[in-house]
Amino acid sequence: MKPMDSEMLREQGHIMVDFIADYYKNLEDSPQDFPVLSQVQPGYLRDILPDSAPDHPEPLKELLHDVSKKIIPGLTHWQSPSYFAYYASSTSVAGFLGEMLNAGLSVVGFTWLASPAATELEVIVLDWLAKLLQLPDHFLSTGNGGGVIQGTGCEAVLVVVLAARDRIMKKVGKNSLSQLVVYASDQTHSSFRKACLIGGIHEENIRLLKTDSSTNYGMPPKSLEEAISSDLAKGFIPFFICATVGTTSSAAVDPLFPLGKIAESYGIWMHVDAAYAGNACICPEFREHIDGVENADSFNINAHKWLFANQTCSPLWVKDRYSLINALKTNPEYLEYKVSKREEVVNYKDWQISLSRRFRSLKLWMVLRLYGAENLRNFIRDHVNLAKHFEDCVAQDAHFEVVTTRYFSLVCFRLAPIDGDEDKCNDQNRELIATVNSTGKIFISHTALSGKFILRFAVGAPLTEEKHVTEAWQIIQKHATKFIHNKKN
Amino acid sequence: MKPMDSEMLREQGHIMVDFIADYYKNLEDSPQDFPVLSQVQPGYLRDILPDSAPDHPEPLKELLHDVSKKIIPGLTHWQSPSYFAYYASSTSVAGFLGEMLNAGLSVVGFTWLASPAATELEVIVLDWLAKLLQLPDHFLSTGNGGGVIQGTGCEAVLVVVLAARDRIMKKVGKNSLSQLVVYASDQTHSSFRKACLIGGIHEENIRLLKTDSSTNYGMPPKSLEEAISSDLAKGFIPFFICATVGTTSSAAVDPLFPLGKIAESYGIWMHVDAAYAGNACICPEFREHIDGVENADSFNINAHKWLFANQTCSPLWVKDRYSLINALKTNPEYLEYKVSKREEVVNYKDWQISLSRRFRSLKLWMVLRLYGAENLRNFIRDHVNLAKHFEDCVAQDAHFEVVTTRYFSLVCFRLAPIDGDEDKCNDQNRELIATVNSTGKIFISHTALSGKFILRFAVGAPLTEEKHVTEAWQIIQKHATKFIHNKKN
């Protein structure tokens, strides 16, 4: 037996392709066999797997049998057409093929030399995507900026927090860490707080500005301006703003234009986390949501969320790549080559946390070429239209209410309170979602906004069609009858 | 057109399998068509690709044609049988299939609920692997510790530095960051320094203890003990030691047993970076190199390096999972579920930098099952034997010298100096490696040890056989003639 054998790869690869194609076929044709939210109990797998690795090889057939019988029942099917939870993490045929090819070629592009194509394709494809998003020229590789594919939005925000931290520390001295302050709204993704804590920012210096329904949960520029002034007066050093376009909770949009003006006037790094909604901005009709990105120092989308790029693929653009490189560069002797020092050569190891990196741009390039920009826009528009359809259903049912203004493919809604009893309303919505998800027929998730327990219906899985949305609404309505009946009593 | 269509996935997936199987076949059969180190010049790709994404779809056939003609010439072929640079990042049929299945199922296991199987299989398989490595019981999930798959060794060392930092800061107060000191040898991977800087540790508090040939570049325990005493006397707070088993430069081994005793006596977190060589420790005959891991707080190997798991797969075990979770946990409302709070439920988002995570344990499970432990041991033994073979060749040629004691599959060697002229010797070795790599027939890399420029020959690619090693040696000898001839003059 050898670890690699091209004919064995061929034979077993074909078997695996059929296994995966059948999985998608069955997800569509036999949804009853695939509860969207897994219905297993904690510890289920330990009871049915051996407690040590086998000494001798087991056949692929047996392994795939175990995948079907033991693993798949324990999956929450993110690619199911009836998956409406969190935000989707959409794959596609092209995204899947891209991952296959990446795993097949299996190169490690930490420096240019380690695989020139892996670096150069990333530079080129991120320029392509920047143009589709109409990002300002300073985010292109032709200026001082450029793009890099991070694994996740969490990594993206971490590296820019570090870049901004080290830039300001250079000015104010390394003992000023405890005076550094950062700003975001209270709707900002938890990864921002985590990134700051990782970077040694004191927790009490993380200002999460209050939002409410009056701005549809977007960050009020006035609050930011006041917070900065107040901090400056107290001797703090403001250095970072994280703005979000499409928050995880409710797809709220922070107003980039006024926030960016404030950031600029104080010389503060502004990062834009557009992990989910940024993808939609390849459509001209959604582009306005990132108007003002021209004043940002960095911008991030998760192409694995809603650009069908399969996990993981999180493009990040920065205005000044040297800030990033200054914070993250390493120079071990064993990676020193003359060519690496040439100005036109990018060494992506210095743009990220890890040294090693997969050839992720291959996948993005394949998605862009195998679909073309126009189809990608239409995939997104389809999802938005399906969300509109769901929103219309909710709006037409007096027992329910749409809670926030919908911009993209997320609908925030709930069973409406009866006689203004918010506590009871929260309990009913909690019970409703638990019941609905336990059917296994759909999976939706929840959030909290101004103390209200809110249901989230996010469209984005690659197989979802109108019939699935309609059916989802019928399931929700059906299980809500109990509470509605109670209302009438 | 739809983003997902099971029959299109089937059809195009089969085409891709054949493309990848042909790649491996050709890598073996037609090496002249695949220079191991890519011979392209910086900027080559921009000249041959369009400068924006297409509006309309392009056929897969055309894309694969471009992969062959434009991308593959820009690859450094890490999976080539004649790849001997850095350390290998080995794939295998099972590793490749695992990546395929992961990309196919495409679930996101950030919490238990988000895909119970993704979490539970990881817990189980890391227990399996811990047993193969004969790790102490406290690294198993059954105690206070447990395993988690990080993307890279860089992420692994970062999360444990943060865990240790936050543990000590809780004791000494958050304003003591500037007094924290860390220890490692001057051979330690650059990711350690980077992790410390990310965590806000002051650069001048990173003690990289000097090593030399007297300990074969392992960290001298006496130096550590002295450094700690001296730092304590000056009011510093020692909190972290990074020991390495198999350094990147020369596969040096730090003596874990005495270092661990010191760490224990001072209450300092000891991390063991065994990214490369740790994999070999599934063989009883290599296990002694991690003797003393019993006193470590954390231990890491890169299964994508030398356990044939395809990038990325970097298992990390910790003795106290709560230290990790305390440093890295987040609790956004939209991920709150009753089940997530049950004690037996693992939520891996709190064990790593990112929220999202791929189902990487699937791949490791498949590698362990499809090969079985005994074959994996033999794959590693084969590589070590090939390295021995190369070492013998070097030793038998008086013009060359083996520079360090070889423990695993890396041989550090060089053209020997003539008349003790070290500068000239360095220049000759620099010229030799440049010439050898420019042939495209093999790729070897270099390092520096005690000011000497050293050639590194690392065996680990999955197709490498004795004939490839023999041929590599012949190529090196042939291109060395020039210098040897000069010697005689």
Side-chain angles (χ1 to χ4, degrees), chain B residues 258-300:
Chain B
L259 297 178
K261 284 286 167 202
I262 297 169
E264 201 182 19
S265 70
Y266 290 101
I268 298 175
W269 185 300
M270 183 167 89
H271 174 63
V272 178
D273 168 1
Y276 154 69
N279 295 287
C281 299
I282 65 167
C283 305
E285 67 270 32
F286 295 113
R287 175 57 176 75
E288 62 175 332
H289 294 293
I290 57 167
D291 281 359
V293 69
E294 294 70 22
N295 286 316
D297 294 276
S298 50
F299 178 75
N300 168 237

Side-chain angles (χ1 to χ4, degrees), chain A residues 10 14 22 24 43 51 58 66 74 104 108 117 120 131 141 152 165 174 194 197 204 352 354 369, chain B residues 10 14 22 24 43 46 51 58 66 74 104 117 120 131 152 165 174 194 197 204 311 352 354 369:
Chain A
R10 193 186 307 274
H14 285 307
D22 289 345
Y24 281 98
D51 62 5
E58 297 176 356
D66 276 4
V108 187
E120 297 203 6
K131 288 176 193 170
S141 66
T152 59
R165 179 197 70 177
K174 65 185 176 187
K194 187 162 166 173
L197 296 179
E204 63 274 24
Q352 62 176 23
S354 289
R369 289 189 62 182
Chain B
R10 193 185 309 274
H14 285 307
D22 289 345
Y24 281 97
R46 195 178 284 276
D51 63 5
E58 296 177 357
D66 276 3
E120 296 202 6
K131 289 176 192 170
T152 60
R165 179 197 70 177
K174 66 185 175 185
K194 186 162 167 174
L197 296 179
E204 64 273 24
Q311 284 225 66
Q352 62 178 23
S354 289
R369 289 189 63 182

Side-chain angles (χ1 to χ4, degrees), chain A residues 101-115:
Chain A
L101 187 54
N102 182 357
L105 298 175
S106 221
V107 300
V108 187
F110 43 54
T111 54
W112 178 86
L113 187 95
S115 257

